[in-house]
Amino acid sequence: MSSFKRNVYLKTVPIPQAVETVRNVLDRETLVRTEQVPAHEAAGRVTAEAVFARYSSPTFHSAAMDGFAVRAEDTFAAHEDAPVVLKVVQAGSSLPLQQGHAVAVNTGHPLPQGADAVIMIENIVEALPDSAQPKSVTIEAPAFPWQHVRRIGEDIVATELLFPQGHKINAYDVGTLLSGGIWDVSVYERIRVRIIPTGDEVLDFTTRPEPGPGQVVESNSQVLATLARSLGCHVERIPPVPDSPAAIQKAVSDALDDKMHLTIICAGSSAGSKDFTRSTIEALGEVLVHGIAAMPGKPSLMGICRGRLVAGAPGYPVSSVICFEELLTPLVSWLSRSETPQREEVHVELTRKVPSKLGVEEFMRLSVGRVGAKYVATPLGRGAGCITTLSKAQAVTRIPANAEGLEQNQTVPAELMVSRTSLERTLVCVGSHDNTLDTLADELMGLDTPFRLASSHVGSMGGIMAIKNGSCHMAGMHLFDPETGDYNVPFIRKYLPDTPAVLINLAIRHQGFIVPKGNPKGISGIEDITTRGLRFINRQRGAGTRILFDWYLKESGLSPDAVNGYRKEEYTHMAVAANVLTGSADCGLGIRAAARALGLDFVPLARERYDLLIPEQFMEDPRIMAVLQLLSSPAFLARIEALGGYETTLTGQVMQAGTALGESTR
């Protein structure tokens, strides 16, 4: 019998219930204290009490324009046919301004006693004599009382309420505080957060380590720290703590001794034999929530120790972020008396179907761009450990717990993680994966007017369907038609007969078998894959590479059933190469550039065209025009060829039926 002891989840609860459970136990009034801070350093802080002005602003009647201060009643008779002449006197007299007198003033100067209007210098008809200090001025229009004058208290009146309690101070508020004579302000203290990474396999990123098998570079703490700082928290992080109950308990106890409002234990909240977060909280306090009805993020854990919040964030990056954004963000906002951040919501059309599990709310990251009059969204990878789905996403949608998934072309609400403006500058490419798209994405972002390329790898046929549904600006494809020996055009004619579009070549590329360095299995052709039982890694159905492989199998008289791993699929050439690199497969069909990128060897099989299909309606779109300009750039072509396994003899040219590949330049 195994000696490993595993945790058992408490009943999973919906996210709102989990947050409310913790709120009902925390004593916010006792936990979060107040402090005095200098007004000029108070931006981002929340007022703990009402703030009243000590001074008026301005504190005196002042000129709002350059000109002459006058008594308005002395000007009432002024007319073009009967101008009024006023005697100019020097400022500074303690006596009230006399009838018929004027005083030169600049913007911001205090008005002389008795003056109640300013005549702009532009409205002075004549100043005699013509000198910097005229003895008199002539006006042809009357001034009304308080014309061009900032009156005492026009902006702020002493004793008035500047800000109520619970107001988050911004940059403009700092100016208001100082103008009102407030030098110090009472605010709630910043929420103090300590993050404790845990795990024997976790390497401290500050040492710049080289991870070995079974080891990972610790990064979750920095993602959570950045999120916490964006909420105005004071954040600390300690070096990783090993999987030792005593060590983890001491680290949490130290955080409690240091008066941390929130302590986050990274990893160890799941049900494994080395997951000690729950037992640590139970030893120091009480577990309130262990398990939420959500994916990712299910193992999230929260408890109270010595009146302070302790949380267990799951070890997988996406789960960890869900834990912070959905559970801890509303709690930190509540503790700090701040509004919980809200993302802007838009409606997006999904490019493909997304199944989901009943009973849990699922968070789906999306790659989003505006195509025509609608926003289109392609679901990104769903693995809780895929940190890049966070960095590549422009939005996130929630699949309700009572839904079995979302349908292709279904319109759903999505929360934006970027501005709408950035979506307008996003070029959406759906279809076959190719490494040149990464080069294209980099070049587009380097333009004076940058554009972001959002590419979704769903195979060449998926790209054709995306064009048909109006879900992208362009599609990458390399579909070989055995009957005609042509690329792409036969498929476009078959599936898009009524869609005006232009087919432009991006590159000729070399397909073949990606094999380990040195080709230890001695693979020389497709027969070796079937006759020797080698482990193969395939591409997904609909991918041009899969279609090419199937054709070569048929031409060789071989059955897919003879291929060990035929049904084991990946969605990109780099993923195929990674399987070979790690030893998960002996070989896979892919492009030379992918093999070269990971230091693998390559057995050539075919040359093929990789083209971009662009609907005619987008040919004048600035994003597409930027792509076409790059395709004629010698510098860009040089970058493509430097990847290895590419030829650019057709790059940028419009492809027609039967366009020949020409002789190889490699």
Side-chain angles (χ1 to χ4, degrees), residues 393-642:
Q394 288 77 54
V396 60
T397 191
R398 301 166 186 247
I399 304 177
N402 61 354
E404 291 188 75
L406 303 173
E407 296 298 322
Q408 183 176 355
N409 301 326
Q410 182 177 346
T411 298
V412 298
E415 301 169 23
L416 287 183
M417 301 169 67
V418 298
S419 68
R420 279 182 185 253
T421 302
S422 69
L423 297 184
E424 303 297 331
R425 293 187 290 103
T426 298
L427 173 64
V428 180
C429 178
V430 177
S432 172
H433 168 257
D434 190 82
N435 289 21
T436 55
L437 293 178
D438 292 337
T439 304
L440 180 61
D442 184 55
E443 290 285 341
L444 285 170
M445 285 301 293
L447 299 176
D448 291 339
T449 301
F451 297 106
R452 184 180 61 83
L453 178 64
S455 57
S456 301
H457 312 311
V458 296
S460 296
M461 287 303 302
I464 286 181
M465 292 301 102
I467 292 287
K468 185 174 184 178
N469 296 326
S471 300
C472 63
H473 298 110
M474 64 183 190
M477 59 185 61
H478 60 109
L479 291 167
F480 177 68
D481 178 41
E483 293 185 7
T484 63
D486 200 1
Y487 278 95
N488 299 322
V489 174
F491 294 87
I492 296 170
R493 288 176 174 173
K494 179 178 180 179
Y495 294 103
L496 301 173
D498 301 318
T499 302
V502 180
L503 188 66
I504 296 177
N505 179 252
L506 179 57
I508 296 171
R509 65 183 192 177
H510 298 181
Q511 285 263 32
F513 294 111
I514 298 174
V515 298
K517 188 70 174 176
N519 193 8
K521 300 290 185 179
I523 298 171
S524 60
I526 197 166
E527 293 80 5
D528 294 329
I529 310 299
T530 56
T531 60
R532 295 164 56 188
L534 301 179
R535 295 170 302 154
F536 185 75
I537 181 72
N538 208 351
R539 289 292 304 280
Q540 82 279 16
R541 273 185 267 182
T545 300
R546 172 76 163 259
I547 293 173
L548 182 69
F549 183 60
D550 287 345
W551 181 78
Y552 270 99
L553 283 176
K554 184 178 179 181
E555 285 293 294
S556 301
L558 301 172
S559 168
D561 293 335
V563 179
N564 178 16
Y566 180 84
R567 291 173 179 78
K568 185 177 181 182
E569 301 175 348
E570 287 289 359
Y571 281 80
T572 69
H573 295 282
M574 292 304 296
V576 170
N579 274 268
V580 175
L581 178 68
T582 58
S584 299
D586 296 315
C587 66
L589 192 61
I591 56 175
R592 183 188 293 271
R596 180 174 177 177
L598 296 186
L600 301 170
D601 274 349
F602 182 78
V603 179
L605 183 66
R607 295 166 65 235
E608 63 177 10
R609 279 198 348 242
Y610 183 87
D611 299 332
L612 299 174
L613 182 64
I614 306 170
E616 285 187 0
Q617 62 175 314
F618 297 132
M619 289 300 289
E620 300 299 319
D621 187 294
R623 293 164 287 194
I624 292 297
M625 293 177 69
V627 170
L628 299 180
Q629 186 174 3
L630 283 172
L631 294 186
S632 63
S633 164
F636 178 63
L637 301 187
R639 285 195 66 179
I640 291 179
E641 296 208 1

Side-chain angles (χ1 to χ4, degrees), residues 33 59 87 99 126 214 220 236-237 260 286 373 378-379 417 435 453 512 520 559 565 567 576 618 622 624 626 634:
R33 302 180 182 275
T59 58
K87 181 181 179 181
Q99 181 179 356
E126 186 178 4
N220 283 2
E236 300 176 3
R237 176 257 194 195
M260 295 293 142
E286 178 186 4
T378 298
M417 301 169 67
N435 289 21
L453 178 64
S559 168
R567 291 173 179 78
V576 170
F618 297 132
I624 292 297

Side-chain angles (χ1 to χ4, degrees), residues 119-135:
I119 300 175
M120 294 169 57
I121 191 69
E122 295 93 328
N123 294 334
I124 299 299
V125 176
E126 186 178 4
L128 297 172
D130 187 11
S131 68
Q133 297 294 332
K135 292 182 177 180

Side-chain angles (χ1 to χ4, degrees), residues 69-323:
V70 300
R71 301 192 327 161
E73 62 183 290
D74 294 344
T75 70
F76 289 164
H79 190 270
E80 289 183 8
D81 298 328
V84 170
V85 178
L86 301 175
K87 181 181 179 181
V88 177
V89 298
Q90 297 296 315
S93 172
S94 61
L95 297 175
L97 189 66
Q98 299 298 307
Q99 181 179 356
H101 288 179
V103 174
V105 291
N106 291 328
T107 302
H109 281 179
L111 287 191
Q113 186 179 357
D116 63 355
V118 171
I119 300 175
M120 294 169 57
I121 191 69
E122 295 93 328
N123 294 334
I124 299 299
V125 176
E126 186 178 4
L128 297 172
D130 187 11
S131 68
Q133 297 294 332
K135 292 182 177 180
S136 65
V137 294
T138 301
I139 58 174
E140 294 180 345
F144 56 84
W146 306 113
Q147 171 181 288
H148 303 317
V149 174
R150 292 193 69 216
R151 303 175 68 176
I152 293 174
E154 176 184 270
D155 192 11
I156 298 172
V157 177
T159 74
E160 78 170 301
L161 176 69
L162 294 179
F163 304 110
Q165 62 176 311
H167 174 80
K168 191 169 186 176
I169 299 169
N170 60 36
Y172 315 116
D173 298 337
V174 171
T176 298
L177 289 169
L178 297 176
S179 298
I182 306 300
W183 317 129
D184 299 287
V185 61
S186 178
V187 297
Y188 291 105
E189 62 182 335
R190 292 186 186 276
I191 302 303
R192 294 184 295 278
V193 179
R194 182 170 294 174
I195 302 176
I196 304 173
T198 67
D200 294 334
E201 78 285 4
V202 172
L203 303 178
D204 190 348
F205 73 90
T206 64
T207 65
R208 303 187 179 189
E210 292 287 341
Q215 295 180 318
V216 294
V217 177
E218 196 283 309
S219 62
N220 283 2
S221 67
Q222 297 313 291
V223 177
L224 301 186
T226 302
L227 291 172
R229 291 189 184 102
S230 72
L231 299 177
C233 298
H234 170 81
V235 184
E236 300 176 3
R237 176 257 194 195
I238 67 171
V241 177
D243 284 321
S244 160
I248 297 173
Q249 184 170 324
K250 181 181 185 305
V252 174
S253 183
D254 289 345
L256 298 174
D257 291 341
D258 292 338
K259 307 300 181 186
M260 295 293 142
H261 298 105
L262 167 61
T263 301
I264 304 175
I265 307 171
C266 288
S269 65
S270 193
S273 59
K274 289 189 175 183
D275 291 325
F276 301 122
T277 299
R278 179 177 170 181
S279 61
T280 297
I281 295 177
E282 288 176 331
L284 298 172
E286 178 186 4
V287 172
L288 299 177
V289 174
H290 190 189
I292 56 174
M295 288 177 58
K298 177 184 176 182
S300 299
L301 190 154
M302 294 187 292
I304 302 295
C305 300
R306 302 183 206 167
R308 299 177 180 273
L309 177 58
V310 179
Y316 283 131
V318 182
S319 294
S320 180
V321 167
I322 294 295
C323 173

